[in-house]
Amino acid sequence: MQPTIYSDMALEEAAKKYFGRNVDVQKIVVEDVDVGMSSRASVYLTSKKHLYCYIHGPSKLLLGDVKKIVARMGLRAELYLPPKGRPTYFDDIGRDKFKEVYPSHRDPSSGQLVYYRTLAPYMPALVLVSEVKNGEIYCHDADSRSKWRVAAKFAYRRIRTS
């Protein structure tokens, strides 16, 4: 995969190739900004009005790292999409990590796996966003005091219907 993504077609192709999602990019809100020392992110809106955050780079991030990045970007995640063809990916990895630590436990509960799910390797990452907090999306900036600065102003909140 290319180290940088510049076009709508590349984002659509990455979503289909790695996550099995057919998305139609309507608007790129933030394109290929730094979100860490070696990670980059793009935030885009689809034609169905879903907001996605795509994180990629050469580093090996875990689900816990991606959660922290998404929170620092000022986004609230609704769903962390598992890799294509593996709908129980995070649970499977979490169960394996749990059994490494506690080999005598036969069947861990969902509550016991909460932490161990965050240890699953997750790069590239695709996150369905439910809200942009305060209407600002942040990117990493090593020169600023807080290490994060506003990359774009974009108001978004997904209203769930039953």
Side-chain angles (χ1 to χ4, degrees):
M1 193 176 125
Q2 302 171 3
T4 57
I5 295 180
Y6 293 105
S7 69
D8 299 358
M9 289 176 42
L11 288 169
E12 292 170 359
E13 181 182 326
K16 182 160 181 76
K17 179 179 177 182
Y18 296 113
F19 303 97
R21 286 283 173 135
N22 290 322
V23 296
D24 182 26
V25 176
Q26 180 183 10
K27 176 183 177 184
I28 296 178
V29 180
V30 174
E31 184 174 12
D32 210 37
V33 296
D34 287 328
V35 292
M37 298 308 273
S38 62
S39 301
R40 304 191 62 77
S42 296
V43 178
Y44 59 92
L45 191 66
T46 66
S47 58
K48 293 182 179 181
K49 305 299 182 207
H50 293 160
L51 190 67
Y52 286 95
C53 178
Y54 177 71
I55 300 172
H56 63 96
S59 63
K60 297 188 185 319
L61 296 180
L62 305 175
L63 177 61
D65 300 328
V66 171
K67 285 183 175 186
K68 191 178 291 187
I69 287 170
V70 168
R72 288 185 177 162
M73 287 180 71
L75 306 174
R76 183 166 287 132
E78 181 173 329
L79 178 65
Y80 294 91
L81 293 150
K84 180 180 180 180
R86 298 185 68 186
T88 60
Y89 173 74
F90 300 120
D91 289 333
D92 295 344
I93 298 292
R95 196 171 290 107
D96 293 343
K97 298 285 184 181
F98 183 85
K99 286 185 179 181
E100 286 177 19
V101 176
Y102 301 106
S104 64
H105 284 292
R106 297 270 182 226
D107 198 18
S109 69
S110 180
Q112 291 173 317
L113 293 178
V114 170
Y115 168 72
Y116 295 97
R117 282 186 196 114
T118 64
L119 301 177
Y122 193 41
M123 188 56 111
L126 185 63
V127 181
L128 178 61
V129 177
S130 66
E131 178 184 1
V132 176
K133 301 176 201 170
N134 303 326
E136 297 176 335
I137 300 172
Y138 293 89
C139 67
H140 185 261
D141 183 6
D143 294 332
S144 78
R145 190 172 50 139
S146 68
K147 301 294 184 208
W148 292 84
R149 66 174 168 81
V150 175
K153 293 185 181 277
F154 185 75
Y156 179 84
R157 179 176 289 162
R158 186 167 176 203
I159 300 171
R160 297 195 48 110
T161 57
S162 44

